[in-house]
Amino acid sequence: ETTVTKQLIRSVLLADATLRSRVGGVVAGHLRSTEAATLLQAKPLIILEATGGFVRYWSALQDVTIELYAYSKASSDEALDVYDQAFTILQEACCQAPNVPMRGITRELERPADGWNDQVGAWYARGRWTIKAIS
C-alpha cells in the first residue's frame, strides 16, 4: 500500500536523531493550512506526498513517486537546509524500519525547488523522489 511506503520513509527519517530533534514532525500528506501553521510555529516540518507510481510483478514490488516538502516559517534557507538533511539520509538508502512490512531503496529524481506557500504562510523546498519497495 502507498500508505505503508510513506510510513517506511517517515520511519527512516525519524530514526535519525539529528533530524528528529530539528523538525516538528514528518507528515504523510499535506495538512489544512491552520494545522500546518500551528505545527510550523516551533520547528520546520517535512511533508511526504505520493504523486504516482506503479506496481510490478505479483503486486509485491512497487515503484512510487513521492514529493518531499520541507517547510519553514523562518526562511527559505532553513527549508533548504532541512531538505538537505533529509537528502543525506534518503539518497540511495536501503530503507527498512521495525514494524513496517516493506523494504525499499530511495533516490532523488528532481532537485528541490524552493518558494513560498501563501496558504500555510511558510517557505518550502520540494524535491521529487522514487522508492522501489517490496513487501
Side-chain angles (χ1 to χ4, degrees):
E1 295 178 17
T2 305
T3 56
V4 177
T5 307
K6 288 193 280 187
Q7 286 173 4
L8 176 61
I9 295 172
R10 180 180 182 275
S11 295
V12 169
L13 287 169
L14 290 174
D16 184 88
T18 305
L19 182 70
R20 188 174 60 246
S21 69
R22 177 122 193 247
V23 299
V26 177
V27 182
H30 270 86
L31 305 171
R32 292 186 303 211
S33 59
T34 53
E35 294 171 323
T38 301
L39 288 172
L40 279 166
Q41 291 304 323
K43 294 181 177 184
L45 181 67
I46 292 176
I47 295 176
L48 305 172
E49 189 172 276
T51 61
F54 53 91
V55 175
R56 302 180 191 189
Y57 317 113
W58 313 289
S59 299
L61 178 62
Q62 332 180 19
D63 189 334
V64 178
T65 303
I66 292 179
E67 290 187 339
L68 187 149
Y69 289 82
Y71 276 98
S72 168
K73 281 279 198 185
S75 67
S76 62
D77 285 345
E78 183 179 55
L80 285 164
D81 190 46
V82 169
Y83 182 93
D84 287 343
Q85 269 188 285
F87 174 88
T88 300
I89 295 164
L90 292 176
Q91 181 64 7
E92 300 293 334
C94 295
C95 299
Q96 58 184 345
N99 302 317
V100 179
M102 180 179 284
R103 294 179 183 191
I105 297 172
T106 50
R107 183 174 59 87
E108 186 186 59
L109 296 173
E110 184 180 309
R111 292 302 291 154
D114 60 336
W116 175 261
N117 183 324
D118 284 327
Q119 291 180 337
V120 177
W123 299 98
Y124 69 86
R126 176 202 42 85
R128 185 162 291 148
W129 290 77
T130 183
I131 179 168
K132 293 178 179 29
I134 191 161
S135 54

